[in-house]
Short mmCIF file of all heavy atoms in Angstrom, two decimals:
data_model
loop_
_atom_site.label_atom_id
_atom_site.label_comp_id
_atom_site.label_asym_id
_atom_site.label_seq_id
_atom_site.Cartn_x
_atom_site.Cartn_y
_atom_site.Cartn_z
N PRO B 1 -19.77 -5.56 20.15
CA PRO B 1 -18.31 -5.72 20.08
C PRO B 1 -17.84 -6.26 18.74
O PRO B 1 -16.81 -5.82 18.20
CB PRO B 1 -18.01 -6.70 21.22
CG PRO B 1 -19.13 -6.51 22.19
CD PRO B 1 -20.34 -6.24 21.34
N HIS B 2 -18.61 -7.21 18.17
CA HIS B 2 -18.22 -7.77 16.88
C HIS B 2 -18.34 -6.73 15.78
O HIS B 2 -17.49 -6.64 14.88
CB HIS B 2 -19.08 -8.98 16.56
CG HIS B 2 -18.68 -9.69 15.29
ND1 HIS B 2 -17.49 -10.37 15.17
CD2 HIS B 2 -19.30 -9.80 14.09
CE1 HIS B 2 -17.39 -10.88 13.96
NE2 HIS B 2 -18.48 -10.54 13.27
N MET B 3 -19.39 -5.90 15.83
CA MET B 3 -19.55 -4.86 14.83
C MET B 3 -18.45 -3.81 14.94
O MET B 3 -17.94 -3.30 13.93
CB MET B 3 -20.93 -4.22 14.98
CG MET B 3 -22.08 -5.17 14.66
SD MET B 3 -23.70 -4.41 14.93
CE MET B 3 -23.75 -3.20 13.62
N LEU B 4 -18.08 -3.46 16.17
CA LEU B 4 -16.98 -2.52 16.36
C LEU B 4 -15.68 -3.08 15.80
O LEU B 4 -14.89 -2.35 15.18
CB LEU B 4 -16.82 -2.20 17.85
CG LEU B 4 -17.92 -1.35 18.50
CD1 LEU B 4 -17.72 -1.30 20.01
CD2 LEU B 4 -17.92 0.05 17.92
N TRP B 5 -15.47 -4.36 16.01
CA TRP B 5 -14.26 -5.00 15.48
C TRP B 5 -14.27 -4.97 13.95
O TRP B 5 -13.24 -4.67 13.32
CB TRP B 5 -14.17 -6.43 15.99
CG TRP B 5 -13.02 -7.20 15.41
CD1 TRP B 5 -11.70 -7.09 15.73
CD2 TRP B 5 -13.10 -8.20 14.37
NE1 TRP B 5 -10.95 -7.96 14.98
CE2 TRP B 5 -11.77 -8.64 14.14
CE3 TRP B 5 -14.14 -8.76 13.66
CZ2 TRP B 5 -11.49 -9.64 13.20
CZ3 TRP B 5 -13.86 -9.74 12.72
CH2 TRP B 5 -12.53 -10.17 12.49
N LEU B 6 -15.42 -5.26 13.34
CA LEU B 6 -15.51 -5.21 11.88
C LEU B 6 -15.21 -3.81 11.37
O LEU B 6 -14.51 -3.64 10.36
CB LEU B 6 -16.91 -5.66 11.43
CG LEU B 6 -17.24 -7.14 11.53
CD1 LEU B 6 -18.69 -7.38 11.14
CD2 LEU B 6 -16.31 -7.98 10.65
N GLY B 7 -15.74 -2.79 12.04
CA GLY B 7 -15.46 -1.43 11.61
C GLY B 7 -13.99 -1.08 11.72
O GLY B 7 -13.43 -0.43 10.83
N THR B 8 -13.36 -1.53 12.80
CA THR B 8 -11.93 -1.27 12.98
C THR B 8 -11.11 -1.96 11.90
O THR B 8 -10.19 -1.38 11.31
CB THR B 8 -11.47 -1.75 14.37
OG1 THR B 8 -12.17 -1.01 15.38
CG2 THR B 8 -9.97 -1.56 14.54
N VAL B 9 -11.46 -3.21 11.62
CA VAL B 9 -10.72 -3.97 10.61
C VAL B 9 -10.89 -3.35 9.22
O VAL B 9 -9.93 -3.24 8.45
CB VAL B 9 -11.19 -5.44 10.61
CG1 VAL B 9 -10.66 -6.18 9.38
CG2 VAL B 9 -10.72 -6.14 11.87
N ALA B 10 -12.10 -2.92 8.89
CA ALA B 10 -12.32 -2.29 7.59
C ALA B 10 -11.47 -1.04 7.43
O ALA B 10 -10.86 -0.81 6.38
CB ALA B 10 -13.81 -1.96 7.42
N THR B 11 -11.41 -0.23 8.48
CA THR B 11 -10.60 0.99 8.43
C THR B 11 -9.12 0.66 8.28
O THR B 11 -8.40 1.29 7.49
CB THR B 11 -10.81 1.82 9.70
OG1 THR B 11 -12.20 2.16 9.82
CG2 THR B 11 -9.99 3.09 9.67
N MET B 12 -8.66 -0.33 9.04
CA MET B 12 -7.24 -0.72 8.95
C MET B 12 -6.89 -1.28 7.58
O MET B 12 -5.80 -1.03 7.05
CB MET B 12 -6.93 -1.74 10.05
CG MET B 12 -6.99 -1.18 11.46
SD MET B 12 -6.61 -2.42 12.73
CE MET B 12 -4.86 -2.72 12.40
N LEU B 13 -7.82 -2.03 6.97
CA LEU B 13 -7.56 -2.58 5.64
C LEU B 13 -7.48 -1.47 4.59
O LEU B 13 -6.64 -1.52 3.69
CB LEU B 13 -8.64 -3.59 5.27
CG LEU B 13 -8.61 -4.92 6.02
CD1 LEU B 13 -9.83 -5.76 5.65
CD2 LEU B 13 -7.33 -5.69 5.70
N GLN B 14 -8.36 -0.48 4.71
CA GLN B 14 -8.30 0.64 3.77
C GLN B 14 -6.98 1.41 3.91
O GLN B 14 -6.37 1.80 2.91
CB GLN B 14 -9.49 1.57 3.99
CG GLN B 14 -10.82 0.99 3.53
CD GLN B 14 -11.97 1.94 3.76
OE1 GLN B 14 -12.02 2.65 4.76
NE2 GLN B 14 -12.91 1.97 2.83
N THR B 15 -6.56 1.62 5.15
CA THR B 15 -5.29 2.31 5.39
C THR B 15 -4.12 1.49 4.86
O THR B 15 -3.19 2.04 4.24
CB THR B 15 -5.11 2.58 6.89
OG1 THR B 15 -6.20 3.35 7.37
CG2 THR B 15 -3.81 3.33 7.16
N ALA B 16 -4.15 0.19 5.09
CA ALA B 16 -3.08 -0.69 4.60
C ALA B 16 -3.02 -0.67 3.08
O ALA B 16 -1.94 -0.64 2.48
CB ALA B 16 -3.29 -2.10 5.11
N GLY B 17 -4.19 -0.68 2.43
CA GLY B 17 -4.21 -0.62 0.97
C GLY B 17 -3.57 0.65 0.45
O GLY B 17 -2.81 0.63 -0.53
N ALA B 18 -3.85 1.77 1.11
CA ALA B 18 -3.25 3.04 0.69
C ALA B 18 -1.74 3.02 0.89
O ALA B 18 -0.98 3.53 0.05
CB ALA B 18 -3.88 4.19 1.47
N GLN B 19 -1.28 2.43 2.00
CA GLN B 19 0.16 2.37 2.26
C GLN B 19 0.86 1.47 1.25
O GLN B 19 1.97 1.78 0.78
CB GLN B 19 0.40 1.85 3.68
CG GLN B 19 0.02 2.83 4.78
CD GLN B 19 0.22 2.25 6.16
OE1 GLN B 19 -0.74 1.90 6.84
NE2 GLN B 19 1.46 2.12 6.58
N ILE B 20 0.24 0.35 0.90
CA ILE B 20 0.85 -0.55 -0.09
C ILE B 20 0.93 0.13 -1.45
O ILE B 20 1.94 0.04 -2.16
CB ILE B 20 0.05 -1.86 -0.16
CG1 ILE B 20 0.17 -2.63 1.16
CG2 ILE B 20 0.54 -2.72 -1.32
CD1 ILE B 20 -0.75 -3.83 1.25
N ALA B 21 -0.15 0.81 -1.84
CA ALA B 21 -0.15 1.50 -3.13
C ALA B 21 0.91 2.59 -3.16
O ALA B 21 1.60 2.77 -4.18
CB ALA B 21 -1.53 2.09 -3.41
N ALA B 22 1.06 3.33 -2.06
CA ALA B 22 2.07 4.39 -2.01
C ALA B 22 3.48 3.82 -2.13
O ALA B 22 4.35 4.41 -2.78
CB ALA B 22 1.93 5.18 -0.70
N THR B 23 3.71 2.67 -1.51
CA THR B 23 5.02 2.03 -1.62
C THR B 23 5.28 1.60 -3.06
O THR B 23 6.40 1.75 -3.58
CB THR B 23 5.10 0.81 -0.69
OG1 THR B 23 4.84 1.22 0.66
CG2 THR B 23 6.48 0.16 -0.75
N GLY B 24 4.26 1.04 -3.71
CA GLY B 24 4.42 0.65 -5.11
C GLY B 24 4.70 1.84 -6.01
O GLY B 24 5.54 1.75 -6.94
N GLU B 25 4.03 2.95 -5.77
CA GLU B 25 4.28 4.16 -6.57
C GLU B 25 5.70 4.67 -6.37
O GLU B 25 6.36 5.09 -7.33
CB GLU B 25 3.26 5.24 -6.19
CG GLU B 25 1.84 4.92 -6.62
CD GLU B 25 0.82 5.84 -5.99
OE1 GLU B 25 1.23 6.73 -5.22
OE2 GLU B 25 -0.38 5.68 -6.29
N GLN B 26 6.20 4.62 -5.12
CA GLN B 26 7.56 5.05 -4.87
C GLN B 26 8.57 4.13 -5.56
O GLN B 26 9.61 4.59 -6.06
CB GLN B 26 7.83 5.09 -3.36
CG GLN B 26 9.24 5.56 -3.00
CD GLN B 26 9.55 6.95 -3.52
OE1 GLN B 26 8.71 7.84 -3.45
NE2 GLN B 26 10.75 7.14 -4.05
N PHE B 27 8.25 2.84 -5.61
CA PHE B 27 9.14 1.91 -6.32
C PHE B 27 9.23 2.28 -7.80
O PHE B 27 10.33 2.29 -8.39
CB PHE B 27 8.64 0.48 -6.18
CG PHE B 27 9.46 -0.52 -6.96
CD1 PHE B 27 10.59 -1.08 -6.40
CD2 PHE B 27 9.10 -0.89 -8.25
CE1 PHE B 27 11.36 -2.00 -7.12
CE2 PHE B 27 9.86 -1.80 -8.97
CZ PHE B 27 10.98 -2.36 -8.40
N GLU B 28 8.09 2.59 -8.42
CA GLU B 28 8.09 2.94 -9.83
C GLU B 28 8.85 4.23 -10.08
O GLU B 28 9.57 4.35 -11.08
CB GLU B 28 6.65 3.06 -10.34
CG GLU B 28 5.93 1.74 -10.49
CD GLU B 28 6.60 0.83 -11.50
OE1 GLU B 28 7.04 1.33 -12.57
OE2 GLU B 28 6.73 -0.38 -11.24
N VAL B 29 8.71 5.20 -9.18
CA VAL B 29 9.45 6.47 -9.32
C VAL B 29 10.96 6.20 -9.26
O VAL B 29 11.74 6.71 -10.08
CB VAL B 29 9.03 7.47 -8.23
CG1 VAL B 29 9.97 8.68 -8.20
CG2 VAL B 29 7.60 7.93 -8.45
N ALA B 30 11.38 5.40 -8.26
CA ALA B 30 12.80 5.10 -8.11
C ALA B 30 13.32 4.28 -9.29
O ALA B 30 14.44 4.49 -9.77
CB ALA B 30 13.03 4.35 -6.80
N LYS B 31 12.51 3.36 -9.78
CA LYS B 31 12.91 2.53 -10.92
C LYS B 31 13.14 3.38 -12.16
O LYS B 31 14.16 3.23 -12.86
CB LYS B 31 11.83 1.48 -11.18
CG LYS B 31 12.06 0.64 -12.44
CD LYS B 31 10.90 -0.33 -12.65
CE LYS B 31 11.02 -1.08 -13.94
NZ LYS B 31 9.88 -2.01 -14.16
N MET B 32 12.21 4.29 -12.46
CA MET B 32 12.33 5.10 -13.66
C MET B 32 13.52 6.07 -13.58
O MET B 32 14.03 6.51 -14.61
CB MET B 32 11.04 5.88 -13.89
CG MET B 32 9.83 5.00 -14.16
SD MET B 32 10.08 3.83 -15.54
CE MET B 32 10.31 4.96 -16.91
N ALA B 33 13.96 6.39 -12.36
CA ALA B 33 15.11 7.30 -12.20
C ALA B 33 16.43 6.55 -12.20
O ALA B 33 17.49 7.18 -12.08
CB ALA B 33 14.96 8.09 -10.90
N THR B 34 16.38 5.22 -12.31
CA THR B 34 17.59 4.39 -12.29
C THR B 34 17.93 3.94 -13.70
O THR B 34 17.04 3.58 -14.48
CB THR B 34 17.38 3.16 -11.38
OG1 THR B 34 17.04 3.60 -10.06
CG2 THR B 34 18.64 2.30 -11.31
N ALA B 35 19.22 3.97 -14.03
CA ALA B 35 19.64 3.53 -15.36
C ALA B 35 19.24 2.09 -15.61
O ALA B 35 19.27 1.26 -14.70
CB ALA B 35 21.15 3.69 -15.50
N THR B 36 18.85 1.79 -16.83
CA THR B 36 18.48 0.42 -17.18
C THR B 36 19.73 -0.44 -17.33
O THR B 36 20.83 0.09 -17.56
CB THR B 36 17.68 0.40 -18.49
OG1 THR B 36 18.55 0.81 -19.56
CG2 THR B 36 16.48 1.32 -18.42
N PRO B 37 19.61 -1.75 -17.22
CA PRO B 37 20.77 -2.62 -17.46
C PRO B 37 21.39 -2.41 -18.84
O PRO B 37 22.62 -2.49 -19.00
CB PRO B 37 20.19 -4.03 -17.31
CG PRO B 37 19.04 -3.86 -16.36
CD PRO B 37 18.45 -2.52 -16.73
N ALA B 38 20.56 -2.12 -19.83
CA ALA B 38 21.09 -1.88 -21.18
C ALA B 38 21.95 -0.63 -21.22
O ALA B 38 23.01 -0.60 -21.88
CB ALA B 38 19.94 -1.77 -22.17
N GLU B 39 21.53 0.42 -20.52
CA GLU B 39 22.32 1.66 -20.48
C GLU B 39 23.65 1.44 -19.79
O GLU B 39 24.69 1.95 -20.23
CB GLU B 39 21.52 2.75 -19.77
CG GLU B 39 20.33 3.27 -20.56
CD GLU B 39 19.49 4.24 -19.76
OE1 GLU B 39 19.31 4.03 -18.54
OE2 GLU B 39 18.99 5.22 -20.36
#
């Protein structure tokens, strides 16, 4: 049971990492498409 839990947690952490990275990439895309304060 403990090994199964470790496997589940590892998979969930990898998925969470991918979701966080995708959110960060979307932020950068939206930022670059937005006028700067100087503009």
Side-chain angles (χ1 to χ4, degrees):
H2 184 67
M3 294 177 69
L4 290 172
W5 175 75
L6 287 176
T8 298
V9 168
T11 301
M12 292 180 68
L13 288 174
Q14 288 181 322
T15 302
Q19 289 177 254
I20 293 172
T23 303
E25 291 168 0
Q26 181 59 42
F27 176 86
E28 287 298 319
V29 169
K31 174 182 175 181
M32 296 306 297
T34 302
T36 66
E39 289 174 322

